[in-house]
Amino acid sequence: MAQKKNKRRYKRDLLKQLETTFDLERLDYQKKTRPAQGKAILFGVLAAFIIYSAGFAIGYYGWQNQVVSYTVFAKLVWLMMIPASVVGVVTWLLVKNRLEYPVRCEIRGYIGSLEADQGLLWRYLPLLNELAPDKLDIKEMMTRSREGKVDELTPEDYGSAIGDLIELLRESGSKSISPETIEELERNFAGDS
């Protein structure tokens, strides 16, 4: 009975360690980039509107001065939607990437500080193997962490991997962690890997 309580306490302490080690607010890429997405869409729509309006104005001026016929003007109105849409999409992508870049740099700096000393995320691999061995995306993040490939750890995937790991630990309920996993976790954190 005391052994079970100790395993459950270890699990609770491990959850607390995960929550204090990783600042989920700083790693929440989606939440930090949400305002930039709306602004980027607005710029894209505005660019498309300007291109379409310019084409429409030129066509209308030509139609009013009988330089182009009504049918040519009608076709021009429909054809101007294609370049306007292309310009709008390109503008949206450019603005979106420009606005998200500082957020990516900030999160990458935070990930770099976490993973600086021989990595951190990979040390939780035994826990993941026990709770959800089929989560290959998290395992890939852990492999990159172990190999020291900090540049390959994308901010959105890293943050979601940490969130998923914490959620797996919370949802495991009353299931205790096996002694082998506890030993392997302690070896990983002691540096005897």
Side-chain angles (χ1 to χ4, degrees):
M1 182 82 165
Q3 186 75 1
K4 274 191 176 182
K5 187 176 181 184
N6 191 13
K7 288 179 193 176
R8 288 188 183 146
R9 174 169 286 157
Y10 185 80
K11 183 174 140 183
R12 195 174 0 163
D13 291 344
L14 193 60
L15 178 62
K16 189 180 279 187
Q17 177 190 358
L18 268 168
E19 290 173 340
T20 57
T21 303
F22 298 101
D23 186 1
L24 292 178
E25 282 292 317
R26 283 182 77 179
L27 290 171
D28 195 355
Y29 183 79
Q30 296 299 329
K31 185 178 179 183
K32 287 186 166 199
T33 58
R34 192 170 298 133
Q37 291 171 0
K39 199 175 203 180
I41 290 172
L42 185 63
F43 274 99
V45 168
L46 185 61
F49 175 74
I50 290 171
I51 295 296
Y52 184 77
S53 296
F56 183 84
I58 292 170
Y60 186 75
Y61 180 76
W63 177 58
Q64 288 294 323
N65 293 324
Q66 281 92 26
V67 175
V68 294
S69 66
Y70 177 75
T71 57
V72 173
F73 172 65
K75 289 178 183 177
L76 179 69
V77 168
W78 283 101
L79 286 176
M80 280 307 294
M81 287 185 190
I82 295 170
S85 299
V86 170
V87 168
V89 168
V90 169
T91 303
W92 165 65
L93 289 173
L94 287 173
V95 171
K96 179 178 175 275
N97 287 334
R98 294 278 295 174
L99 293 174
E100 288 180 357
Y101 183 72
V103 174
R104 290 183 79 80
C105 287
E106 177 200 339
I107 295 175
R108 278 185 189 265
Y110 180 61
I111 291 171
S113 68
L114 288 173
E115 298 289 329
D117 299 328
Q118 301 172 346
L120 179 63
L121 183 61
W122 68 269
R123 298 175 194 273
Y124 295 98
L125 183 61
L127 180 68
L128 180 68
N129 286 336
E130 183 170 326
L131 296 178
D134 58 335
K135 291 278 191 177
L136 299 178
D137 51 343
I138 301 175
K139 283 186 180 180
E140 183 179 337
M141 287 286 117
M142 290 180 170
T143 302
R144 290 178 185 168
S145 169
R146 182 167 193 140
E147 293 171 353
K149 297 180 179 177
V150 180
D151 294 338
E152 293 180 17
L153 296 171
T154 57
E156 53 267 35
D157 292 340
Y158 190 86
S160 68
I162 299 298
D164 289 348
L165 189 61
I166 290 174
E167 199 60 35
L168 283 170
L169 198 56
R170 283 183 187 150
E171 290 177 352
S172 64
S174 62
K175 179 184 173 189
S176 61
I177 300 173
S178 69
E180 296 84 19
T181 303
I182 292 173
E183 287 176 24
E184 199 171 343
L185 280 167
E186 291 192 359
R187 259 197 324 265
N188 284 352
F189 283 106
D192 303 332
S193 52

